[in-house]
Amino acid sequence: MGKVLIIGAGGVGTVAAFKVAQNSDVFTDIMIASRTRSKCDAIVKAIGNPDIKTAAVDADNVEELVALFNSFKPEIVINVALPYQDLTIMEACLQCGVNYLDTANYEPKDVAHFEYSWQWAYHERFKEAGLTAILGCGFDPGVSGVYTAYAAKHYFDEIHYLDIVDCNAGNHHKAFATNFNPEINIREITQKGRYYEDGKWIETEALEIHKPLTYPNIGPRESYLLFHEELESLTKNFPTIKRARFWMTFGQEYLTHLRVIQNIGMARIDEIDYNGQKIVPLQFLKAVLPNPQDLGENYEGETSIGCRIRGIKDGKEHTYYVYNNCSHQEAYKETGMQGVSYTTGVPAMIGAMMFLKGLWRKPGVWNVEQFDPDPFMEQLNKQGLPWHEEFDKDLEL
Ligand code: NDP
């Protein structure tokens, strides 16, 4: 049915490639391209399908991307490189008539700043070109937006309160490691917190607000309020929302390491001079931390990510909790990657499948909640991320 190009050969790219290869009725022609070609070849070997093509590409370079797109001629690109590459890949898509999907919004390298404006600015150009761009199609952002759209479609006349809750109750047996790209992860967590209330954004100190929340099959875990990019699009696309927040769990050990990393300047993203060479401390730190791709083997426990929603249906207040629990070991057995890569790579594949099946196809730049959630929800159950619902229970929030 379709030709797909996956850009990025990290943890998420590996899972996306496995899942794309499993759905060969939809994805008939596959290429994996990344900065380091040997990593793409290793994924092909792990999957065991020599028909999957590989290529080296510097996705910061529009000309290189254009040359690659013109030779392979994909219908859609799954961008699971880093957020820094979003705009160059979107630009190349426009030049070559290719549709686009990613899992993280654009960030400039020199400021850790998360907002959709840079990518939303491409809306008219994608629309005029008749091309679809699907933004933020991992788990959060991604499934969190699909869950919200599903709740709005089936269970609420108005959503008033939305809390996205993200728990990783896994143990990888390392003193400190991040579950996805350390540079992107640490930039996100060390930012000031922010949430939406009554039409305004309220800023907090980093990790200032926290409380224990109870996660299914896991129990209570201290959860910290963070800003997360889908809050921006969800409050815009569901204007009845009065308050929207995002919570993520962290263990004490992780937070202690993070504090030390910050206090000694290793989280800095500006260039410093080291023995006559310019280095960015956070990029150097990434090079010495465990590779998120290598965490899977000894990872135990599970993740639990969901949406806790309060709103009105037929004049009455209701609550709704929809979530997925994902076992790190099960993810590892299937793809060789841990649960965080798995929960991101599977939805990225499903988004591309929705496009190729013609179910999520409309010219312009869209966030996932702007498409029909039903076929996506159906695929989540089939592709390894089953979801569960709880109605009218205490949401703790
Ligand atoms: P990794 O660091 O493991 O992988 C990133 C990959 O991109 C690497 O293969 C890297 O190549 C490649 N890459 C980096 N720069 C370039 C470039 N200029 N040109 C070509 N390739 C490049 O990250 P993850 O797999 O953990 O994460 C991938 C994406 O998924 C990130 O954007 C992350 O923010 C997002 N994500 C989204 C989540 C969600 O739920 N929405 C959750 C988790 C992650 P090399 O190996 O050579 O460095």
Side-chain angles (χ1 to χ4, degrees):
M1 195 190 271
K3 253 185 163 183
V4 63
L5 171 62
I6 298 169
I7 302 185
V12 179
T14 303
V15 174
F18 264 88
K19 299 308 281 193
V20 156
Q22 282 172 15
N23 288 275
S24 55
D25 53 330
V26 176
F27 302 99
T28 42
D29 225 331
I30 307 164
M31 177 183 269
I32 310 167
S34 192
R35 187 162 48 191
T36 317
R37 187 172 182 173
S38 56
K39 292 194 181 173
C40 308
D41 293 334
I43 298 174
V44 173
K45 199 166 161 223
I47 295 173
N49 176 353
D51 292 340
I52 300 174
K53 300 175 186 69
T54 63
V57 71
D58 176 4
D60 289 321
N61 182 324
V62 177
E63 274 174 30
E64 270 193 38
L65 288 164
V66 166
L68 179 69
F69 292 4
N70 282 337
S71 70
F72 181 61
K73 300 202 183 327
E75 282 170 71
I76 186 162
V77 165
I78 299 179
N79 167 17
V80 280
L82 297 180
Y84 314 132
Q85 281 86 46
D86 288 2
L87 299 187
T88 43
I89 298 177
M90 288 176 85
E91 194 61 50
C93 282
L94 281 167
Q95 289 190 28
C96 303
V98 177
N99 300 281
Y100 174 86
L101 178 144
D102 68 28
T103 67
N105 71 3
Y106 171 71
E107 282 173 50
K109 271 190 184 138
D110 51 352
V111 238
H113 188 70
F114 312 95
E115 62 171 67
Y116 279 113
S117 61
W118 289 289
Q119 291 182 276
W120 284 342
Y122 280 73
H123 180 70
E124 284 309 317
R125 290 173 70 198
F126 269 79
K127 199 171 161 191
E128 274 162 29
L131 296 171
T132 302
I134 302 169
L135 304 186
C137 198
F139 206 105
D140 45 347
V143 177
S144 54
V146 174
Y147 282 168
T148 307
Y150 188 76
K153 181 172 173 182
H154 297 285
Y155 302 127
F156 292 98
D157 295 327
E158 288 184 11
I159 291 181
H160 289 168
Y161 299 98
L162 168 67
D163 285 283
I164 301 166
V165 292
D166 179 329
C167 171
N168 182 1
N171 184 357
H172 45 54
H173 303 285
K174 304 263 186 215
F176 182 83
T178 63
N179 294 294
F180 63 96
N181 185 283
E183 189 184 329
I184 304 299
N185 195 192
I186 292 172
R187 279 163 66 112
E188 175 180 280
I189 294 164
T190 52
Q191 284 313 290
K192 292 208 167 188
R194 201 154 30 114
Y195 66 98
Y196 179 88
E197 189 158 40
D198 296 329
K200 291 192 292 284
W201 290 98
I202 297 163
E203 199 171 80
T204 71
E205 289 307 315
L207 310 181
E208 179 190 343
I209 298 179
H210 52 99
K211 61 189 296 184
L213 296 175
T214 312
Y215 295 89
N217 206 34
I218 292 167
R221 286 284 191 283
E222 201 63 19
S223 307
Y224 294 78
L225 186 146
L226 302 182
F227 177 70
H228 225 238
E229 62 201 57
E230 66 264 52
L231 297 178
E232 187 188 6
S233 68
L234 287 168
T235 50
K236 180 166 164 278
N237 290 321
F238 297 97
T240 60
I241 291 179
K242 295 180 185 179
R243 187 186 64 209
R245 301 178 294 190
F246 184 96
W247 305 83
M248 190 177 270
T249 62
F250 299 107
Q252 273 316 310
E253 188 68 4
Y254 182 92
L255 292 176
T256 304
H257 275 82
L258 196 65
R259 198 167 58 242
V260 173
I261 285 169
Q262 275 186 292
N263 286 347
I264 61 175
M266 286 306 292
R268 281 174 60 175
I269 58 173
D270 54 324
E271 274 186 349
I272 59 150
D273 190 81
Y274 177 73
N275 280 350
Q277 199 184 338
K278 299 265 182 240
I279 62 163
V280 174
L282 184 55
Q283 287 173 2
F284 176 77
L285 178 68
K286 173 185 184 279
V288 294
L289 283 177
N291 181 350
Q293 277 169 267
D294 300 334
L295 297 177
E297 196 171 356
N298 296 313
Y299 221 137
E300 293 160 5
E302 55 190 342
T303 62
S304 178
I305 316 175
C307 291
R308 299 187 185 185
I309 297 173
R310 191 145 47 100
I312 300 283
K313 180 79 177 174
D314 299 329
K316 280 201 199 119
E317 184 166 275
H318 289 282
T319 72
Y320 175 63
Y321 180 19
V322 53
Y323 65 90
N324 160 265
N325 275 32
C326 177
S327 146
H328 288 291
Q329 265 313 300
E330 290 301 316
Y332 180 74
K333 273 189 229 149
E334 185 184 333
T335 63
M337 296 294 129
Q338 34 84 359
V340 177
S341 303
Y342 191 86
T343 53
T344 311
V346 173
M349 178 282 289
I350 298 175
M353 172 191 269
M354 293 295 106
F355 171 79
L356 289 174
K357 286 185 167 180
L359 299 166
W360 281 20
R361 199 180 275 235
K362 53 181 174 182
V365 174
W366 310 98
N367 292 86
V368 291
E369 66 269 20
Q370 293 174 287
F371 295 97
D372 182 7
D374 292 359
F376 194 104
M377 291 291 273
E378 194 185 314
Q379 284 300 323
L380 284 171
N381 281 334
K382 291 184 182 158
Q383 304 289 344
L385 295 176
W387 41 277
H388 311 277
E389 301 179 304
E390 289 181 4
F391 296 92
D392 293 323
K393 290 210 172 148
D394 176 14
L395 297 180
E396 304 176 294
L397 288 160

